Amino acid sequence: MNKKGILFVITGPSGVGKGTVLAEVRRQKDVYFSISATTRQPREGEQDGVHYFFLTREQFEQKIAENGFLEHAEFSGNCYGTPAAPVDAHLEEGTDVILEIEVQGAMQVHRSRPDAVRIFLAPPSYAELEKRLTGRGTETEEAVRMRLETAKHELTLAPEFDYVVINNTVEQAVADVLAIMQAEACRAQRVTLH
């Protein structure tokens, strides 16, 4: 019987469909979806402890000093990080945990938690990613261009991950992620026979 949960880290470039794929994975499998901490102000409708843990910069820096994050970074003047305590508590209870984080954060988690299973969600092609990002219509051309430049670099890092799932269709990507989770649960080193 498995005693401890498995930490899954899912990453990929902006626009690849991480949120859509993971929403369906969570619908089909009972997992703890890690909530990030941030120093940014809550947006309308966001609740502390539901969407994010909203911290002051001082609280955030204190958590860093206490090694309280699995990973953390600063974007656009705000800090973001994955609190370690709730992740560890769920893993100890035997619940699998999923982190949805950006690529550099996933690399940080691997350094502190080499046993984490890292899944890179990739687009079927760079052209398709470009189409998805421009099709959103939510960002300026400059913002899309910057995301695409970042994505070019991030795609070169995919071979460093344990698995690469191509998000050609949401249904297939979800099936692939669930198959990886099942296979990892059956790894010999995770199963104790009595």
Side-chain angles (χ1 to χ4, degrees):
M1 212 47 207
N2 294 341
K3 296 203 185 311
K4 192 172 179 186
I6 304 168
L7 178 58
F8 293 94
V9 178
I10 302 194
T11 192
S14 178
V16 78
K18 294 181 296 290
T20 303
V21 168
L22 287 178
E24 185 59 24
V25 166
R26 292 172 61 200
R27 199 180 69 69
Q28 295 186 36
K29 183 162 177 54
D30 185 29
V31 295
Y32 173 70
F33 189 73
S34 176
I35 300 168
S36 295
T38 184
T39 58
R40 77 161 170 75
Q41 290 300 307
R43 293 182 183 131
E44 189 174 329
E46 287 182 332
Q47 297 174 355
D48 185 51
V50 175
H51 299 97
Y52 283 95
F53 294 110
F54 294 100
L55 305 177
T56 64
R57 183 167 283 272
E58 294 74 27
Q59 290 170 318
F60 199 95
E61 288 171 357
Q62 180 64 35
K63 275 212 176 291
I64 292 172
E66 298 166 350
N67 288 322
F69 290 114
L70 295 177
E71 57 83 30
H72 61 87
E74 187 165 343
F75 298 104
S76 304
N78 293 305
C79 300
Y80 296 85
T82 302
V87 169
D88 291 338
H90 282 88
L91 291 172
E92 288 302 319
E93 291 170 2
T95 304
D96 290 345
V97 175
I98 294 179
L99 307 182
E100 176 194 348
I101 53 181
E102 49 81 35
V103 176
Q104 293 305 318
M107 306 291 264
Q108 280 186 45
V109 171
H110 182 62
R111 286 191 287 276
S112 64
R113 301 291 172 90
D115 61 330
V117 178
R118 298 170 307 140
I119 302 170
F120 190 97
L121 192 62
S125 67
Y126 183 78
E128 177 61 24
L129 182 65
E130 186 173 13
K131 183 175 141 193
R132 289 176 186 179
L133 280 173
T134 54
R136 283 178 171 177
T138 57
E139 299 179 82
T140 65
E141 281 184 40
E142 176 64 15
V144 169
R145 189 190 61 72
M146 288 176 63
R147 286 189 187 275
L148 286 168
E149 283 301 311
T150 300
K152 267 186 195 171
H153 171 67
E154 290 172 339
L155 289 168
T156 68
L157 300 173
E160 296 185 34
F161 287 77
D162 301 309
Y163 298 93
V164 175
V165 171
I166 306 297
N167 186 12
N168 204 357
T169 68
V170 171
E171 297 76 18
Q172 186 58 55
V174 168
D176 290 348
V177 170
L178 290 171
I180 290 165
M181 294 177 82
Q182 182 59 42
E184 286 294 327
C186 295
R187 276 193 185 270
Q189 66 264 35
R190 296 191 200 280
V191 178
T192 304
L193 302 174
H194 293 284

